[in-house]
Amino acid sequence: MIVAEQKPLDEVYEFAKKYKKVLIMGCGTCVTVCMAGGEKEVGIVANQLRLKAKENGDDFVVDEHTITRQCDKEFFDEETARKIKAADAVVSMACGVGVQYSAEVFPDMLVYPGLNTKFFGTNVEQGVWAERCAGCGECVVGDFGGVCPISRCSKSIMNGPCGGSSDGTCEINPDVDCAWQLIYDRMDKLGKLDELEKNQPIKDWSTARDGGPRTVKRDDVKL
Amino acid sequence: MSDTELKSGSNLEKLLAKGEFVFTGELGPPKSADVELVKKKAEFLKGAVDAVNITDNQTAIVRMSSIAAGLIALQCGLEPVIQITCRDRNRLAMQADVLGAYALGLKNILCLSGDHQCFGNHPTAKNVYDIDSMQLISMLKQMRDDKKFACGDDIRQGKKGPVVEPKIFIGAAANPFGGPIAYRPIRLAKKVAAGADFIQTQCIYDMDRFKKWMQEVVKKGLHEKTAILAGITPLKSVRMAEYMRDNVAGMTVPDHLIERMKNAENPSEEGEKIAIEQVQEMKEIEGVKGVHFMAIEAEKTVKDFAKKAGLLPRPEV
């Protein structure tokens, strides 16, 4: 899933107070699962803004609404359109994709991000999410026992580990696993250590963000 | 070996080819454009070492560029080893720098991953890591031996221009004590296969572990394909010994050395004594072709150390 975190309330408040009516719009997919921007969080943020407005004597109305996915047109239904149009501005509690897509669907509406989008990751334990994919456009995890060196090594080293790997952790922080220790352990377990003897060639980054903004086009599903 | 058979003709390569036990040093460029400081440091090292590594934004702190400081050192009569990290440059910048370094007469390049920028003075910087140190070694070898850029283009200006490839002596680093420990000799083998002509190791305190690593290296025959230079940094204090032990990835400083430092009247002198003993011991280890001496920010002590360790005068080629 796409993992995100809420922006500091003060930042959202500074935006919201400039308008008479603000809609806090949640997203029911990834950011609901990572407990950052679902219906529940929208309710909490909306209430915090209302309380703060009362405390500060600022006069604005906060409305709430959550849709299944802000990255898909079909979920922007009539009720959503009505709520958006009734507001002066929207704080989107979706990931960066949802924020932008909301603005694309409603080009006249000011949309402000309520979250900081972090990464593609997973929930490793209660309250902890960790990055697993950098979206490089050409998956290589098959060569590395199912562990991605691009997203999980601090230096994206394809022929690791660097000299900074110690006791299974990365030089940047003892709380960060060394991806190459994980790769080594997996390959060892799978009986494929010999595959780590081969030099991985220079990677083609043109499939990653380095190649410019990306699109996927599929003739087989085009109408 | 005649000059025509040499890959680069660098002083370092020639000495190794002659079978000399080489002694390399390190010169840290200043955190300013202070040319005089580079010259002063170069003067300290002149005649004391066979070649001198010019660090590249070491510990991710911005300094005068390795190539610029290297040229000054060259003009002062030293032979530089230009360090290039993968942290700050992509393949375009690296290849351009390699051509430029060679054009200026710099013949040795050491390929490094580089410390993560979070350790330095620009922790909010974006890092590059377009290629890794292994791929950098391969790229330099391809430039030198195949006379081609990473993209496959010939190293020439236009179709009729002469092919002028950078004849570089290629170095790489090795940390014998990093994790996973069993993989370290394999990773060295990868570097050798990629084209590393010489290896400079992380500084070594635990001689027993180093010897075990060297046994693996010799067993794989790597010592015959690359020249291994053992890293030595003298301990200056008990605090430094403990810091090295506790904070540097994979590094162990054996208890008996810490005890020696604690019991010493003058810990700095004791550290020097330990390092001199290490140099002698390194000479006896099969496959070790020299010592890489990293006197961190203490270039002025190198000549004295070399003298005490019986390493002077340095051989001529």
Side-chain angles (χ1 to χ4, degrees):
Chain A
M1 75 183 123
I2 295 174
V3 178
E5 261 186 333
Q6 284 181 11
K7 278 187 176 290
L9 188 71
D10 286 350
E11 186 183 330
V12 177
Y13 187 82
E14 284 305 306
F15 171 78
K17 74 174 189 189
K18 290 184 270 189
Y19 303 94
K20 286 263 175 292
K21 190 171 181 188
V22 176
L23 175 68
I24 312 294
M25 187 161 73
C27 180
T29 308
C30 307
V31 294
T32 293
V33 181
C34 69
M35 299 191 273
E39 192 172 6
K40 187 177 153 200
E41 292 78 24
V42 164
I44 294 168
V45 170
N47 275 334
Q48 285 173 327
L49 289 172
R50 289 179 194 122
L51 275 171
K52 206 172 164 76
K54 206 171 173 185
E55 264 174 37
N56 294 356
D58 288 326
D59 182 25
F60 64 91
V61 176
V62 181
D63 197 6
E64 316 166 20
H65 185 59
T66 296
I67 65 175
T68 306
R69 272 206 295 281
Q70 288 189 31
C71 58
D72 256 329
K73 198 171 190 173
E74 65 186 276
F75 296 106
F76 288 85
D77 56 10
E78 273 179 35
E79 190 198 353
T80 306
R82 190 165 41 77
K83 290 213 171 204
I84 289 175
K85 283 174 188 165
D88 300 318
V90 174
V91 172
S92 164
M93 299 278 284
C95 71
V97 180
V99 179
Q100 290 183 64
Y101 197 66
S102 299
E104 273 174 61
V105 177
F106 294 91
D108 299 331
M109 183 56 59
L110 259 168
V111 183
Y112 192 82
L115 304 182
N116 290 320
T117 304
K118 295 293 181 179
F119 47 74
F120 305 145
T122 190
N123 181 208
V124 286
E125 60 181 273
Q126 183 68 29
V128 181
W129 291 265
E131 186 167 15
R132 289 291 182 269
C133 176
C136 73
E138 196 181 13
C139 192
V140 294
V141 301
D143 290 337
F144 304 103
V147 179
C148 172
I150 310 296
S151 59
R152 300 184 69 182
C153 165
S154 301
K155 302 175 185 173
S156 296
I157 288 177
M158 303 277 288
N159 296 280
C162 73
S165 174
S166 181
D167 299 325
T169 67
C170 174
E171 70 178 20
I172 69 159
N173 185 336
D175 295 333
V176 176
D177 288 331
C178 167
W180 272 93
Q181 179 75 53
L182 300 175
I183 291 168
Y184 180 85
D185 292 345
R186 283 280 293 161
M187 294 298 260
D188 191 15
K189 208 169 187 177
L190 297 168
K192 289 180 179 293
L193 273 182
D194 55 318
E195 287 183 23
L196 292 184
E197 291 177 20
K198 107 180 153 207
N199 278 335
Q200 293 288 339
I202 288 178
K203 187 170 165 64
D204 174 358
W205 293 107
S206 68
T207 59
R209 177 61 187 74
D210 307 85
R214 295 168 282 176
T215 51
V216 171
K217 286 180 187 156
R218 281 182 52 187
D219 289 337
D220 60 327
V221 289
K222 267 186 169 176
L223 289 175
Chain B
M1 192 180 274
S2 73
D3 276 11
T4 51
E5 291 168 46
L6 294 168
K7 293 167 178 172
S8 68
S10 76
N11 191 43
L12 181 61
E13 182 183 13
K14 284 179 186 168
L15 288 170
L16 287 167
K18 267 177 72 183
E20 297 284 355
F21 189 81
V22 304
F23 186 60
T24 57
E26 204 166 85
L27 187 158
K31 288 193 272 185
S32 70
D34 185 356
V35 176
E36 292 312 311
L37 183 59
V38 181
K39 287 182 176 169
K40 199 169 132 191
K41 286 182 167 190
E43 217 38 58
F44 289 139
L45 293 161
K46 210 171 151 183
V49 293
D50 302 315
V52 57
N53 287 36
I54 315 290
T55 51
D56 178 18
N57 286 343
Q58 72 184 96
T59 58
I61 288 170
V62 176
R63 292 162 186 278
M64 185 188 290
S65 80
S66 177
I67 291 174
L71 180 63
I72 299 167
L74 179 73
Q75 287 163 348
C76 292
L78 287 172
E79 176 167 277
V81 176
I82 301 303
Q83 298 196 176
I84 296 186
T85 71
C86 299
R87 178 194 57 229
D88 305 333
R89 293 176 192 79
N90 69 5
R91 66 191 80 172
L92 280 83
M94 283 172 169
Q95 292 178 101
D97 276 353
V98 169
L99 292 181
Y102 181 69
L104 294 171
L106 305 165
K107 295 176 179 169
N108 309 294
I109 291 179
L110 187 80
C111 307
L112 299 167
S113 300
D115 294 320
H116 195 270
Q117 73 276 9
C118 69
F119 294 110
N121 60 356
H122 289 74
T124 57
K126 192 175 195 297
N127 64 31
V128 182
Y129 294 113
D130 171 26
I131 65 176
D132 63 29
S133 61
M134 198 75 69
Q135 295 161 343
L136 174 56
I137 299 165
S138 301
M139 187 169 79
L140 293 195
K141 185 175 160 63
Q142 181 179 317
M143 289 175 81
R144 182 189 68 196
D145 297 351
D146 303 339
K147 305 173 178 51
K148 286 183 190 302
F149 288 110
C151 63
D153 287 355
D154 288 337
I155 301 182
R156 71 199 303 174
Q157 175 64 37
K159 281 183 186 164
K160 289 180 181 167
V163 172
V164 185
E165 77 282 15
K167 296 189 184 88
I168 294 294
F169 199 47
I170 305 165
N175 181 357
F177 313 131
I181 201 78
Y183 186 61
R184 287 291 156 181
I186 300 169
R187 187 154 191 265
L188 178 69
K190 286 181 65 169
K191 288 196 172 178
V192 172
D197 301 310
F198 68 100
I199 298 289
Q200 290 170 321
T201 77
Q202 169 75 283
C203 56
I204 293 151
Y205 298 104
D206 192 334
M207 292 299 285
D208 291 339
R209 278 180 76 195
F210 178 67
K211 283 175 188 168
K212 276 187 198 137
W213 181 77
M214 276 308 299
Q215 279 168 7
E216 283 298 309
V217 169
V218 170
K219 213 191 284 174
K220 287 179 179 294
L222 301 175
H223 64 305
E224 286 165 350
K225 296 176 186 157
T226 196
I228 293 168
L229 314 184
I232 291 183
T233 294
L235 293 169
K236 287 176 187 161
S237 61
V238 177
R239 222 178 105 197
M240 176 181 170
E242 288 172 343
Y243 179 86
M244 289 284 197
R245 181 192 61 192
D246 301 334
N247 296 298
V248 182
M251 188 170 290
T252 50
V253 181
D255 290 343
H256 69 91
L257 287 189
I258 303 226
E259 278 309 303
R260 256 182 86 172
M261 292 297 286
K262 275 184 183 163
N263 296 332
E265 257 177 54
N266 184 333
S268 172
E269 271 177 24
E270 192 65 23
E272 188 183 66
K273 243 167 98 179
I274 293 168
I276 290 169
E277 288 166 19
Q278 281 185 294
V279 171
Q280 306 314 329
E281 227 174 314
M282 290 299 181
K283 284 183 176 174
E284 305 304 319
I285 300 173
E286 187 184 1
V288 176
K289 303 282 168 59
V291 161
H292 178 52
F293 191 70
M294 292 166 277
I296 305 156
E297 283 301 314
E299 287 87 350
K300 67 169 182 249
T301 65
V302 177
K303 197 173 275 176
D304 184 50
F305 178 86
K307 194 176 165 192
K308 287 178 184 159
L311 293 164
L312 295 186
R314 297 309 309 150
E316 298 281 331
V317 279

